[in-house]
Structure formats: C-alpha cells, structure tokens
Amino acid sequence: MGEDRLRLIRNLVTSAAHALPGQRTPVPEGVRTAEPMGLGAAPAHAGRAPDTTYARVRVGRHHTETGAPEAFGIEAWCDGVDDLPYTTGGDQLRPGDIGLGHARRGGAAPSELFRSIRRWSTYQHRLTGWINRCRQAHGDALQIVVLDQTGFDLPWEALLLPAVPEAGLPDGPLGALVDLARWLDDFPDRAVAPNGEVLGFFHSDMTRDQEFFHRYEHRPHLGIETFLKGLDDVTAQRTGLVYMGCHGTFDHHLSKLTLAGGTWADYHDLDMRLLDRDAALVCLNACHSGRFLDYNGDGRQYLRGFTQIFLRNGAGGCIVSAGEVGDTEARVMIGRIVDTVTEDPERPVARALRAFRAGVHETFLAGGGVPMMVRDDGSFDAERQRNVLRLLYSLMFQYYGHPLSTVRLTGRHQGGQDRVEAGAP
C-alpha cells in the first residue's frame, strides 16, 4: 500500500475519533467500609470465601520475582458451582492496551480497542468458562460481584463471554449479560435503599446535565466548595442521589488526581456526613472518576481513588467512569444511564445498568458489529466505528455496590423549581 494511502487512512481514523462522540422490604442503611486493603505481601488468594449469596470473583496482583512482568490472579465462588481455585499464568499479565480509558477522541480506532478486549477475553477462558457454568446454574438470577484489587484498569464489564448454544446462552459482554457490581476492600454484605432528593454539582460547561433531574426534587450547586459543604449538612432533606457533572484527571502523581478541580487529598479530608446518614448513591460523571492510583508516597501502599473516598464515607454505591466522558456520545450515554437507573425504584441499580448495556449491545449487533478498518473502496467506516464506540462507552460506566441495592428519588412537587445554591458558576 502506498504512503499516500496509508496517510489517508490514518487521517480518516483520527477524524472519525474526533467526531465520535411502591413498597419495599426495609433494608439496612450503609455502613462505613474498612480502611483500604494493602497491596503488599498478602497473596491474592488469601482469606476465606465470604458468606454471601451472589457469585464472587476476587482479582489480585500475582506477586512474582523482582523484574518479572506484573500479573494478576483470580479465584471465584458461586453457590451450586464448583469453586474456581486461584489461577494465574502467562495469559494474565498486566494488559496495557485494553483499559476503557483508551475509548476516547484521538485514541485508537474503536474497532481495534474492541478486538484487543476480545483477544484478552479469550485468554481468560478459565474464568469465562466458570461464569458460563454459573449462568447455566442460575440463569437470569445470576449476580456477580468483582473485587478487583489490582489497579490494572481491567475492563470486567467488557469481558466477552462465549456462547453456550446447547444451554441457550448467548455470547456478549459480561456487563450486558449478568447483573454485575464491583466493590473494594471486602465483598459487600448488605444492600441499601437510599430514598430522597438529588444533590448535584455541575461545572460551568456541564450545566445541561441538570436536565437529567427535571422530574425530581433537586438541590443543584455551581460552586464546588458550597457543594462539598452540602455533603456535610445533616439538617438537609434526605438524599437519594449525589451527582457530579464535572471534569476529572488521572495521573501517576497523587496531587494530580483531581475531581472538579479538587485533589484526592482535598476529598480525603472530608467527612461527608450526609452520605453516612443517607447511604446515597453517588454518580460521578467525570473523566477517569473510577480509576485508581497505586501510591505509597506517604508511607502506606494502597489504591487511591475517588470511588474509595465516597464509599469509605458511607455512599451506598457509586457509578463512575473508567475513561473520558467529554464528548457528545458519552454525555448521551450518562443521560440514558441516569434515566434507566432512576425510572424504577424497585429495580436494583446493577440490574438497571445491565438492561441499559444490553440495549446498547443489541443496537451494536443490529448495526453490523465490529467493522474492518477499511471498506472495499478503501474508505474508513466512520458510522460503524461510532457504533462500536457507543458500546464501549456503555461498558465504561462501572457500578460499585451491592447487586441488590436500589435508589428511590423524591418526585418534584407540581410547579416546583430548582433552587441553585450559592457558589460561583
């Protein structure tokens, strides 16, 4: 292929990437989690399988000799299915190219990222085979919680399961086929059911996100300090959802890990007593809000991230992003996610997210699935690349919480209007 044609294809890839855009059973309220589990000498398979009713997958760093590649190991349990004993190997090295942080403008073509994830998924055949045995045993009732202590940005929601035709099980991404949740430190033992208003913060260029909550009682803020003070106000009405539409950054220096301009340390020093009282669901619509930095610069090594802070302070669950959310396609996705999660207060958050992802996956398949980089005429298939990107975005939003936790938002009184709290826009 001539240099001119190669240059044309590269330009088309870059251009397309820039264009992509009732009554309920009482449930105990949330409880503060323990301090983060260290990542030091304890092997990944240490500890007893927790006594819970959902399937559990624990993922930890596999400690190898000095200078060897970083790797991870997996063990798993599910009622009615043989345990998956601790397993690791050459196919479980730290993958640098499959994190959903790569699903972004100017990044690799979406089809290339999807194919990388598909190859990685085939390497995890022991785990995917075990999950399929769980699907056969429990059908649509299966729930899985992943406790990932690696900090490797492993995209479990996008793990591609093979079909089991004889059992009527389709193939597809784990997050679209099974109720999936994540957690930190240890497996969750209690579901929560937060009930109340929306407490929101909106950066000046994301104020349109307020439209997501026009049906609900809402306390929006345009100033970050005022908003964070609101998280300490236990005289306020009960809060069902805390939402932040803002910018986030991820870096390998802790001081550059930011959310709405505040550093990780700024948030770490807050009490957030409102969360402890209400066990509210937290939704962080911010780039990289779900990523973790392995850090030991202050003398203690553990994974630092904003999800960890909100859960530690009492949040009943968190919906966060594993990558960038700045373009139009990602904004549309988060709006649809909010609608799906909040429209039925009796449906668990994990099941609502699964239903949302399943719908996007169906559209993906109807649109032709994964395209080649070029068509017969040598042109770049931008529309089908967008189709892949939409699926990746739907899998990029992760849920930390108990798989049975729900959220009920207070409906807006007739004629009621938002009262924007003080704070500079």
Side-chain angles (χ1 to χ4, degrees), residues 7 9 27 43 45 90 100 239 296 324 328 330 354 396 408:
R7 190 178 300 108
I9 291 174
V27 184
H45 59 286
L100 292 177
T239 301
N296 63 2
E324 294 190 7
T328 302
R354 169 191 168 186
M396 184 174 72
R408 180 189 295 273

Side-chain angles (χ1 to χ4, degrees), residues 127-345:
L127 176 61
T128 57
W130 180 85
I131 292 174
N132 273 344
R133 291 193 291 276
C134 296
R135 293 169 72 196
Q136 288 179 264
H138 298 290
D140 192 53
L142 177 64
Q143 301 166 325
I144 294 178
V145 177
V146 176
L147 183 70
D148 187 334
Q149 299 169 311
T150 65
F152 289 175
D153 292 333
L154 300 174
W156 296 113
E157 291 76 9
L159 178 74
L160 294 169
L161 301 181
V164 185
E166 63 274 20
L169 297 178
D171 60 353
L174 174 60
L177 297 174
V178 176
D179 294 357
L180 180 67
R182 294 178 179 236
W183 198 247
L184 302 172
D185 305 324
D186 203 349
F187 289 94
D189 58 1
R190 288 193 290 179
V192 296
N195 185 342
E197 301 178 339
V198 178
L199 176 66
F201 168 76
F202 304 90
H203 189 267
S204 58
D205 60 2
M206 297 179 73
T207 56
R208 287 182 56 194
D209 285 13
Q210 294 178 71
E211 298 169 6
F212 302 157
F213 309 110
H214 69 276
R215 294 180 293 168
Y216 307 113
E217 289 296 313
H218 182 201
R219 304 194 308 276
H221 295 71
L222 302 180
I224 186 61
E225 289 184 284
T226 309
F227 166 76
L228 293 176
K229 288 178 182 176
L231 285 177
D232 248 346
D233 182 7
V234 291
T235 66
Q237 295 294 316
R238 295 195 72 84
T239 301
L241 175 69
V242 173
Y243 180 91
M244 296 183 70
C246 59
H247 298 288
T249 62
F250 181 81
D251 195 274
H252 294 288
H253 295 87
L254 188 61
S255 62
K256 296 182 181 179
L257 206 65
T258 69
L259 181 68
T263 66
W264 180 90
D266 287 333
Y267 285 81
H268 179 267
D269 289 345
L270 300 174
D271 291 328
M272 302 184 185
R273 293 181 298 159
L274 192 74
L275 294 183
D276 194 40
R277 185 193 72 176
D278 298 343
L281 175 68
V282 172
C283 181
L284 303 179
N285 181 19
C287 294
H288 310 298
S289 55
R291 298 181 67 185
F292 295 89
L293 172 65
D294 181 21
Y295 178 79
N296 63 2
D298 54 11
R300 186 179 180 194
Q301 184 174 24
Y302 63 91
L303 298 179
R304 320 290 174 106
F306 294 104
T307 308
Q308 163 240 339
I309 289 175
F310 282 96
L311 291 177
R312 181 201 68 191
N313 282 318
C318 289
I319 297 174
V320 292
S321 170
E324 294 190 7
V325 298
D327 73 19
T328 302
E329 294 286 351
R331 282 199 73 259
V332 170
M333 284 292 170
I334 191 63
R336 290 174 57 194
I337 287 172
V338 169
D339 284 344
T340 303
V341 167
T342 60
E343 67 187 357
D344 181 359

Side-chain angles (χ1 to χ4, degrees), residues 5 11 15 38 71 118 156 168 175 219 240 284 356 361 373 387 411:
R5 191 169 183 183
N11 290 339
S15 298
R118 184 162 61 191
W156 296 113
R219 304 194 308 276
L284 303 179
F356 166 75
H361 185 238
M373 287 284 285
N387 191 35

